[in-house]
Amino acid sequence: MNAHPGGEAHTRHMLELAALPAGARILDLGAGAGEAVRLMQELGYEAQGLDLHPRSPFVQEGDLLNTVFPDQSFDALLSQCSFFVSGDTPGALRESRRLLKPGGLLLLSDVEFEPWDSLLEAAGFSVLLSEDLTECWKEYYIEAIWRGDPLCCEWPRRRCRYRLLICRKEE
Ligand SMILES: C[S@@+](CC[C@H](N)C(=O)[O-])C[C@H]1O[C@@H](n2cnc3c(N)ncnc32)[C@H](O)[C@@H]1O
């Protein structure tokens, strides 16, 4: 089951916004059960996924903060709801920058407790597109509590927003 607001429609929307060429090599960081990996493969991308606790054969085991892939291995990275729960967002962005080819894209959707824009800029990314999905996040979160789903981590007791961001690695 998709573990992010908006489910598959949200993943498709992100991919449409990014407009990656067919065959682009993409890694899903924190891929969970691998639905997004499977979808990207169906759409003709060379996609793979990584998670600390993989929940399908589409996903390999690994830490998104310290992956085994060589520098500049990917045209794009996708990460939905995983950077914040990794506990080290700046570290996740550093590793993303290392993994991307020059000009590569980071397709990110996640909670926002501090502005993504400054974190991304400090990590060497420019924001090409941004959408506020806070309302969708609230619905998703309340439904998850209602179903009794395990929530990934303790959230800070502060208001947050939820952002979708398409970012480019800058030189
Ligand atoms: C909320 S789930 C999102 C899963 C998937 N992206 C989705 O949208 O369905 C967060 C995922 O991040 C993974 N995760 C957290 N920290 C990680 C890390 N350091 N390295 C790899 N995966 C991590 C968790 O195991 C979990 O599967």
Side-chain angles (χ1 to χ4, degrees):
M1 194 185 76
N2 279 292
H4 61 261
E8 183 180 310
H10 167 80
T11 309
R12 284 183 183 274
H13 179 56
M14 289 180 89
L15 291 166
E16 279 163 19
L17 291 175
L20 294 161
R25 188 161 188 231
I26 311 177
L27 177 67
D28 183 347
L29 293 166
E35 286 95 343
V37 178
R38 199 173 53 232
L39 173 66
M40 291 191 286
Q41 289 174 352
E42 281 167 13
L43 293 173
Y45 299 114
E46 194 193 318
Q48 57 194 111
L50 183 83
D51 201 285
L52 268 187
H53 308 290
R55 296 190 292 281
S56 87
F58 287 95
V59 181
Q60 73 186 76
E61 187 175 341
D63 185 351
L64 66 84
L65 300 171
N66 183 21
T67 72
V68 294
F69 302 103
D71 293 356
Q72 303 188 4
S73 292
F74 295 94
D75 299 298
L77 303 170
L78 173 82
S79 191
Q80 299 170 296
C81 263
S82 300
F83 279 11
F84 180 78
V85 297
S86 78
D88 182 6
T89 298
L93 291 173
R94 255 194 318 277
E95 183 66 358
S96 298
R97 188 173 162 76
R98 186 185 74 74
L99 290 174
L100 280 171
K101 294 178 185 172
L105 297 186
L106 172 62
L107 286 55
L108 187 60
S109 77
D110 214 330
V111 290
E112 179 178 66
F113 285 95
E114 54 181 308
W116 274 108
D117 306 76
S118 37
L119 287 168
L120 286 160
E121 191 184 339
F125 288 93
S126 61
V127 175
L128 304 179
L129 280 163
S130 160
E131 291 181 5
D132 187 333
L133 300 184
T134 307
E135 291 309 312
C136 185
W137 160 246
K138 282 187 206 165
E139 278 171 35
Y140 167 80
Y141 196 68
I142 290 166
E143 277 170 22
I145 293 170
W146 193 256
R147 281 196 305 265
D149 291 354
L151 296 166
C152 285
C153 67
E154 284 295 317
W155 301 101
R157 289 175 182 268
R158 308 184 255 132
R159 276 195 189 178
C160 69
R161 305 197 72 73
Y162 194 95
R163 296 271 300 278
L164 177 163
L165 297 140
I166 309 291
C167 319
R168 186 175 56 214
K169 172 180 169 175
E170 297 297 346
E171 288 311 302

